[in-house]
Amino acid sequence: MAEIVLELSQWAIPLFLILAPLYALFKGVDVYNVFCEGAAKGFALLVQILPFLLGMLIAIEVFSVSGAMQLVLGWLEPWANRLGLPPDILPLAVLRSLSGSGALALCSQILETHGPDSFVGRLATTMQGSTDTTFYVLTVYFGSVGVLRYRHALAVGLLADLAAFAAAFWLCSMVWG
């Protein structure tokens, strides 16, 4: 049964990419023109959000290169030690709100170092899956619709990230600790 599900899952997207345009043609939709209109709208949206996205990426790089990341980690480490939080997880907790790809790379490093079945590995993957990239969401989504004042949304997003990290740590401690 598992083999059948695996085989079907491998064909799901290619089948969709074939069947959706065929269905549209059957319904009389001009697939090529609709595709081109959608691509033009997508490009216009990209041009609209590109300054916000570029600003966020530059800010993340400055945060990392300037040493601010190490400074924040230095402030957090004594608290983490008191709570029993592994220090290797702190960079992921800080980076996850900033950059999804950076956090994924860091999570991958943690898994290579500690292994996927270690407490730290399980905690890292749980933390990775329990939050979103708050700054990216605010920058791209709010920027695309023209929201300029998102101070309260930022505070709530960061509090939600903190709650998700705490819940991930508590849950992992209860299950594997």
Side-chain angles (χ1 to χ4, degrees):
M1 182 65 174
E3 296 86 22
I4 295 171
V5 171
L6 180 62
E7 190 68 29
L8 287 175
S9 68
Q10 291 175 344
W11 283 99
I13 292 176
L15 281 174
F16 177 77
L17 292 175
I18 292 169
L19 294 177
L22 287 176
Y23 179 75
L25 281 173
F26 175 73
K27 288 293 204 174
V29 174
D30 187 0
V31 176
Y32 183 73
N33 283 333
V34 169
F35 172 79
C36 289
E37 288 173 17
K41 288 179 183 177
F43 186 73
L45 180 62
L46 174 67
V47 169
Q48 183 181 355
I49 66 171
L50 192 60
F52 298 101
L53 187 59
L54 187 59
M56 182 203 63
L57 292 174
I58 290 171
I60 290 170
E61 189 64 23
V62 168
F63 181 73
S64 297
V65 173
S66 70
M69 172 76 122
Q70 294 302 326
L71 184 66
V72 169
L73 292 175
W75 290 337
L76 293 176
E77 195 166 342
W79 292 97
N81 290 335
R82 285 187 195 131
L83 296 172
L85 189 66
D88 293 345
I89 214 75
L90 286 178
L92 179 63
V94 172
L95 192 59
R96 182 67 180 131
S97 296
L98 298 171
S99 168
S101 57
L104 185 59
L106 191 56
C107 186
S108 178
Q109 282 180 342
I110 290 171
L111 292 176
E112 285 178 18
T113 303
H114 297 279
D117 291 331
S118 67
F119 177 76
V120 175
R122 289 175 172 161
L123 178 58
T125 55
T126 305
M127 290 171 76
Q128 181 74 10
S130 64
T131 62
D132 204 347
T133 51
T134 301
F135 287 96
Y136 178 84
V137 168
L138 292 176
T139 300
V140 173
Y141 299 141
F142 280 31
S144 69
V145 295
V147 175
L148 299 176
R149 296 181 352 193
Y150 49 84
R151 169 179 63 154
H152 299 296
L154 176 61
V156 169
L158 291 176
L159 282 173
D161 288 343
L162 183 62
F165 289 141
F169 178 61
W170 178 79
L171 181 67
C172 289
S173 296
M174 292 294 114
V175 175
W176 295 294

